[in-house]
Amino acid sequence: MRGARLGVAGVPWLLVPAALGTALVALPVVAMALTVEWSQFWSLVTSEPSRDALWLSLRTATVSTLLCLVLGVPLALVLARSHGRAATLLRSVVLLPLVLPPVVGGIALLQAFGRRGLLGGSFTALGVDIAFTTTAVVIAQTFVAMPFLVLSLEGALRSTGTRFEDVAATLGAAPSLTLRRVTLPLALPGLVSGTILAFARCLGEFGATITFAGSLQGTTRTLPLEIYLQREGDPRAAVALSLVLVAVAVLVIGLTRARRSSLTAGTP
Amino acid sequence: MTLDATVRLDDRAVDVSLSVADGETLALLGPNGAGKSSVLAALAGLVRPDAGHVTLDGRVLAGDTWVPAHDRDIALLAQDARLFPHLSVLDNVAFGPRARGAGRRGARATGERWLAEVGITAYAHRRPHELSGGQQQRVAVARALATEPRVLLVDEPLSALDVEAAPDVRDLLRRVLADRTAVVVTHDVVDAALLADRVAVMEHGRVVDEGPAARVLGRPRSDFGARFAGLNLVRGVAESGALRMPDGRLLHGLAEEREDPPVPIHDGARLTAVVAPTAVGVHLTHPHGSPRNALTATVTDLEPHGHLVRVRTDTLTADITPGAAAELGLRRGSAVVLSVKATEVHLHVTGTDL
């Protein structure tokens, strides 16, 4: 933070909209912190429904993030090393959830995996119901969060290019070894920030989840759903739980920054 | 072992054939954009040629089959060192042996040996970005050689280095290339002269001149080679032991014997005269005394060339001192007389259709 200062590129009035923008983001969060009933905070966030929701959110977000990694890393590799119309098309498809309203995503998932959906029948025949189960929560979260990981990792892979992979090949490294020891380590900063972004997005998922998975306490009612529900019955609990999510978000951002600076410290 | 290759790359308009004998270093010399680096990439297996073949010691690497880069035993030294930024210097050098199946300990031992060889031992545990450009290039040399490649490809290894670092790395390369089968791409005649046994001059995607380094550099036969070495190349036809230029004037010189015993130059043979620009004098009127060659010419360009002035004319190019240029009041379009001693004009028979 040596020499830290706010630059305005010689255009001082830019500070005004910049300050307004900051206020727009910061003020609501501050308001929440100021209006929460701290005396009851602990009991509000440790009530049984709250604990269920928090525990479910952490579990599903973790599993979904792992799923994002398993599916998203190969996808990012394919996208980063492909050219032409097919690659453009593939990228548009994969990034679709970024621009789609989550509710629409939930409807789409229902049409695919719901009991009367396209594939729902086949799953029912196998004795598996997906919609309105914890599995559905994980699928919904993966659906909306994976593009964040893919986008971030693909950017890192593209900016490095294939120069180091070429060197590795001429040194006798087979492609799988090059992937493990050169490609992925070099893309690690992008992979880490992508993973953290995806985790945060999983944790905050609401629209697709409530549409596709419903809101059953302990099974599909994640923290955002619980907050929404509590807003009707006990607004104080909603505010308290919201602060918990803010705390998790701040933690995630802090973690990203710390990881990034420790990773970039060793590279030029 | 012999490396034998014909490489055609349509999008770079490259079509060359090369052959490198066991332990020999071939320099691929040419201007930027001639496609030299693309040829190396094809030899290394990083680019698939549109047609042609690559054979190493009888094993077909490209042609009927395709052997991927990691299975070729051909190492490539690029223009920039390209050390893996996330690995220590030692792990960079140990990467190749590791990839080829050596254990961690064995690979590190090999790495340490090669780091000692290039004089970088003290920096073994640093990250690459902590090293200077010259040191990085040394590590790159060590990394390439640690895989014990059968062929070493070198792509302008000095071009990214500053003037102080280049001679060091050149010395190192001269040492490691001495008994290795190697192809060195360069646009620098000094590198070609110091590093290579044989030189192939490449221009517009084709090899236009090829032979022993001393011959190609000393008496280049391609237009490019002569411009390159700063030498004048005048083509013409033999007449009474002199060269009749296309404009009808005679250029007297000495025959350079290519063959041993020397073959007399027959009238009508196609000749190329090679004249060093420093051997050409520039005068405003016909000089006194009797230089065998006194050619009227028009100055087309004047440009600085080291501490001299390069005077380009419609016939020969001359290098003169700035003082002489000022005294003569030369400018574009000046009418001058060029003088060259016959002993400074080297005549070569270049036509096969004698």
Side-chain angles (χ1 to χ4, degrees):
Chain A
M1 272 301 164
R2 214 174 328 131
R5 61 183 293 271
L6 298 171
V8 286
V11 193
W13 62 261
L14 282 177
L15 276 177
V16 178
L20 283 175
T22 310
L24 183 66
V25 175
L27 206 60
V29 181
V30 173
M32 208 157 57
L34 290 178
T35 55
V36 73
E37 303 206 14
W38 289 106
S39 55
Q40 293 168 38
F41 180 80
W42 194 245
S43 66
L44 286 173
V45 299
T46 53
S47 73
E48 202 197 324
S50 301
R51 274 184 297 144
D52 279 356
L54 181 61
W55 179 229
L56 182 69
S57 268
L58 290 174
R59 264 184 332 174
T60 51
T62 305
V63 174
S64 301
T65 305
L66 289 176
L67 206 56
C68 283
L69 281 168
V70 170
L71 305 175
V73 170
L75 208 46
L77 284 165
V78 170
L79 283 177
R81 300 292 181 254
S82 308
H83 316 272
R85 205 177 295 172
T88 311
L89 188 70
L90 182 61
R91 186 174 298 109
S92 312
V93 171
V94 173
L95 300 187
L96 196 60
L98 276 184
V99 292
L100 221 54
V103 185
V104 176
I107 298 280
L109 287 168
L110 214 47
Q111 294 312 105
F113 303 108
R115 203 166 292 176
R116 280 187 291 278
L118 205 58
L119 303 173
S122 334
F123 282 111
T124 310
L126 291 170
V128 184
D129 269 336
I130 293 179
F132 307 110
T133 63
T134 308
T135 309
V137 177
V138 170
I139 291 177
Q141 289 178 351
T142 308
F143 179 86
V144 296
M146 194 167 60
F148 288 89
L149 180 98
V150 172
L151 212 59
S152 171
L153 181 57
E154 192 207 344
L157 289 169
R158 275 191 185 275
S159 68
T160 311
T162 58
R163 321 179 309 126
F164 293 109
E165 294 168 6
D166 285 351
V167 172
T170 61
L171 292 172
S176 59
L177 182 74
T178 301
L179 179 68
R180 210 170 62 239
R181 286 206 58 203
V182 177
T183 311
L184 289 179
L186 284 176
L188 199 58
L191 184 62
V192 170
S193 62
T195 305
I196 290 173
L197 273 176
F199 181 76
R201 184 67 188 84
C202 286
L203 211 56
E205 217 308 296
F206 178 82
T209 309
I210 201 164
T211 314
F212 179 46
S215 179
L216 299 166
Q217 186 186 336
T219 310
T220 68
R221 190 182 300 158
T222 54
L223 202 48
L225 270 61
E226 176 68 20
I227 290 169
Y228 187 75
L229 203 71
Q230 290 288 355
R231 206 183 57 89
E232 307 281 307
D234 185 359
R236 297 168 311 152
V239 175
L241 285 175
S242 296
L243 269 184
V244 172
L245 268 189
V246 170
V248 174
V250 168
L251 203 68
V252 162
I253 293 173
L255 218 60
T256 319
R257 292 194 56 87
R259 282 297 297 175
R260 189 172 291 164
S261 50
S262 80
L263 282 169
T264 48
T267 50
Chain B
M1 89 191 59
T2 306
L3 178 69
D4 192 58
T6 299
V7 174
R8 208 186 83 202
L9 298 163
D10 291 337
D11 60 334
R12 301 297 322 268
V14 164
D15 191 352
V16 297
S17 292
L18 300 170
S19 178
V20 190
D22 189 11
E24 183 182 70
T25 297
L26 172 77
L28 202 52
L29 182 68
N32 292 327
K36 309 184 299 289
S37 298
S38 306
V39 173
L40 282 198
L43 296 178
L46 299 173
V47 166
R48 209 181 271 255
D50 296 295
H53 68 90
V54 179
T55 313
L56 177 56
D57 209 12
R59 181 183 177 212
V60 178
L61 301 179
D64 296 334
T65 58
W66 174 257
V67 177
H70 68 268
D71 209 15
R72 287 196 172 193
D73 268 354
I74 297 181
L76 175 66
L77 260 178
Q79 297 188 18
D80 50 334
R82 275 191 212 179
L83 302 178
F84 301 124
H86 61 296
L87 298 180
S88 72
V89 165
L90 177 58
D91 284 339
N92 261 279
V93 183
F95 183 92
R98 254 329 245 148
R100 283 155 191 253
R104 186 180 296 266
R105 276 227 191 125
R108 289 203 154 203
T110 307
E112 274 162 4
R113 212 173 57 238
W114 279 105
L115 279 181
E117 185 75 18
V118 302
I120 298 287
T121 308
Y123 302 98
H125 298 289
R126 302 269 183 98
R127 286 297 179 96
H129 74 272
E130 297 175 76
L131 271 58
S132 72
Q135 289 167 335
Q136 289 187 26
Q137 199 58 269
R138 284 168 169 274
V139 176
V141 171
R143 181 176 65 172
L145 294 178
T147 63
E148 307 282 351
R150 304 213 296 171
V151 177
L152 182 63
L153 307 177
V154 186
D155 188 1
E156 305 257 15
L158 308 173
S159 63
L161 298 180
D162 51 44
V163 188
E164 282 109 73
D168 262 8
V169 176
R170 187 186 288 122
D171 277 352
L172 172 67
L173 282 173
R174 186 154 52 162
R175 199 149 46 83
V176 302
L177 290 175
D179 47 2
R180 275 198 170 71
T181 311
V183 180
V184 179
V185 153
T186 182
H187 68 269
D188 188 339
V189 73
V190 179
D191 288 343
L194 293 179
L195 300 175
D197 305 305
R198 282 196 313 126
V199 173
V201 178
M202 197 172 157
E203 202 173 4
H204 304 303
R206 302 283 187 280
V207 171
V208 290
D209 190 7
E210 211 218 324
R215 202 285 291 157
V216 174
L217 300 177
R219 296 155 236 147
R221 282 181 215 144
S222 66
D223 292 337
F224 171 75
R227 200 178 338 135
F228 208 85
L231 298 174
N232 289 293
L233 264 196
V234 184
R235 292 175 192 283
V237 179
E239 190 178 309
S240 322
L243 179 148
R244 175 74 69 186
M245 296 196 286
D247 62 10
R249 293 185 286 188
L250 269 183
L251 194 59
H252 299 276
L254 293 178
E256 271 318 293
E257 284 87 17
R258 244 198 313 151
E259 313 294 335
D260 195 27
V263 179
I265 299 179
H266 296 287
D267 281 5
R270 290 222 308 248
L271 287 185
T272 299
V274 180
V275 184
T278 46
V280 181
V282 181
H283 317 268
L284 293 178
T285 55
H286 271 268
H288 299 293
S290 57
R292 287 294 298 278
N293 299 299
L295 307 166
T296 56
T298 308
V299 175
T300 58
D301 214 350
L302 294 162
E303 58 197 50
H305 184 73
H307 53 278
L308 295 174
V309 175
R310 179 154 282 183
V311 183
R312 292 194 188 277
T313 73
D314 51 353
T315 56
L316 299 175
T317 296
D319 284 349
I320 60 176
T321 62
E327 199 176 308
L328 293 167
L330 293 184
R331 61 178 63 106
R332 251 184 236 179
S334 298
V336 292
V337 179
L338 304 175
S339 66
V340 199
K341 284 186 191 167
T343 51
E344 299 284 0
V345 177
H346 305 277
L347 298 175
H348 308 273
V349 179
T350 47
T352 45
D353 48 346
L354 292 177

